[in-house]
Amino acid sequence: MSNRYSIEERYTIVNRERKEKSVKEICTHYKISRTTYYNWERSFKIRITNENKLFTYRDVQLLEEKNRKLKKIIEIYNRTGCSIQFTLYKKIRAIEKTEGRIVDRHCRKDIINN
């Protein structure tokens, strides 16, 4: 039953219907509990208090993924002694020295994604 409504439908219910109807009316109409409604609402709106901005759950997921990849890049730079100004060739050679294996320049994304 938890997947009865798609993410798009949930978003519509939470953001559009709320402007026109009360939570009780929405829950009755869509046959969902108030707890479910508030869980959906919370998942779609995350408030960053310092700047008072609203981010969707998906925005936060994308930022977390980008942050993970950047941390991996920094870890590689620290481990290999590279700097961001190095050419790609120097970066690959430094990685090869620390990893003990040859890195194909076309497969360099694999290093960051792992």
Side-chain angles (χ1 to χ4, degrees), residues 27-76:
C27 292
T28 303
H29 182 280
Y30 290 100
K31 297 178 181 151
I32 58 173
S33 69
R34 294 179 88 172
T35 304
T36 299
Y37 174 84
Y38 287 116
N39 283 337
W40 291 355
E41 185 177 55
R42 186 182 62 224
S43 72
F44 286 117
K45 293 183 180 176
I46 298 173
R47 184 171 297 276
I48 306 299
T49 56
N50 290 347
E51 298 175 14
N52 205 24
K53 292 183 180 180
L54 287 177
F55 291 93
T56 64
Y57 179 70
R58 183 73 182 132
D59 293 334
V60 173
Q61 283 182 323
L62 290 172
L63 287 171
E64 286 175 346
E65 178 64 19
K66 187 174 183 177
N67 188 36
R68 185 189 69 74
K69 286 184 178 182
L70 290 172
K71 283 182 179 180
K72 183 70 175 175
I73 290 170
I74 290 170
E75 176 190 329
I76 290 170

Side-chain angles (χ1 to χ4, degrees), residues 56-106:
T56 64
Y57 179 70
R58 183 73 182 132
D59 293 334
V60 173
Q61 283 182 323
L62 290 172
L63 287 171
E64 286 175 346
E65 178 64 19
K66 187 174 183 177
N67 188 36
R68 185 189 69 74
K69 286 184 178 182
L70 290 172
K71 283 182 179 180
K72 183 70 175 175
I73 290 170
I74 290 170
E75 176 190 329
I76 290 170
Y77 282 160
N78 288 337
R79 195 176 57 216
T80 61
C82 287
S83 76
I84 206 160
Q85 289 82 18
F86 279 27
T87 63
L88 180 58
Y89 178 80
K90 285 185 179 181
K91 290 175 187 175
I92 290 173
R93 295 303 158 239
I95 291 169
E96 287 176 346
K97 286 179 186 175
T98 59
E99 295 290 321
R101 62 185 174 98
I102 295 176
V103 178
D104 181 11
R105 65 186 171 117
H106 300 292

Side-chain angles (χ1 to χ4, degrees), residues 1-6 9-10 30-33:
M1 275 298 205
S2 64
N3 291 329
R4 181 168 47 173
Y5 296 104
S6 69
E9 291 171 325
R10 294 175 191 183
Y30 290 100
K31 297 178 181 151
I32 58 173
S33 69

